Amino acid sequence: MSVDLFAGISVSDYPAALSWYGKLFGGPPAFSPNDVESVWEIAEHRYVYVEHRPAHAGHGLITLFTGDLDDRVAGIAARGLTPDRQETYENGVRKITYRDPDGNEIGFGGGPA
C-alpha cells in the first residue's frame, strides 16, 4: 500500500510565503491546486504545502530529517535564508530551525557531523 504525506503550513501573506518557501526548498512549488495553496515535493510521496489561512498562521511545526544536512543548509544560506536556531543533541543528532515570516518553524535534522 502506498502512502503519501502532505504536511500543511498556514500563512498570512501568501505571495511572501511563496518567495520564502521557494528559497527554503530551492525552487518553485511542484504544483498549486488553487489560488491560495502551493505544494513542494520534498521527497517521493512527501510534500509540504502552504495555504493562505491568516487566522491559523504562525503555529506550524515541521521537521524533516535528511542525510544531506550540511549541503542542504549551505544551499539554503546561498539562497539568502539564515537559521533561527541550531542545536546538537547529546547523541550528536543536529537540528537546524528556520522561521518563516509568520513564525512557523521548519526544522531540518541530520545525523552527527
Side-chain angles (χ1 to χ4, degrees):
M1 177 172 81
S2 176
V3 175
D4 290 3
L5 172 67
F6 287 83
I9 301 169
S10 298
V11 298
S12 64
D13 184 337
Y14 183 67
L18 290 178
S19 174
W20 192 88
Y21 282 93
K23 291 176 184 176
L24 185 72
F25 294 131
F31 62 95
S32 297
N34 53 56
D35 292 343
V36 297
E37 185 178 6
S38 288
V39 183
W40 283 263
E41 185 173 16
I42 306 306
E44 187 176 9
H45 303 289
R46 297 171 195 99
Y47 304 87
V48 172
Y49 68 94
V50 298
E51 184 175 1
H52 184 241
R53 297 179 68 195
H56 299 282
H59 302 284
L61 299 169
I62 294 177
T63 300
L64 307 165
F65 203 87
T66 179
D68 64 347
L69 182 62
D70 296 324
D71 291 340
R72 188 173 301 263
V73 170
I76 293 169
R79 295 187 292 274
L81 298 181
T82 57
D84 181 64
R85 186 172 63 241
Q86 298 183 41
E87 303 169 90
T88 301
Y89 302 111
E90 288 182 22
N91 63 359
V93 168
R94 298 169 294 147
K95 183 178 179 187
I96 311 299
T97 303
Y98 297 85
R99 285 188 185 272
D100 75 6
D102 286 307
N104 294 301
E105 292 185 13
I106 296 75
F108 291 92

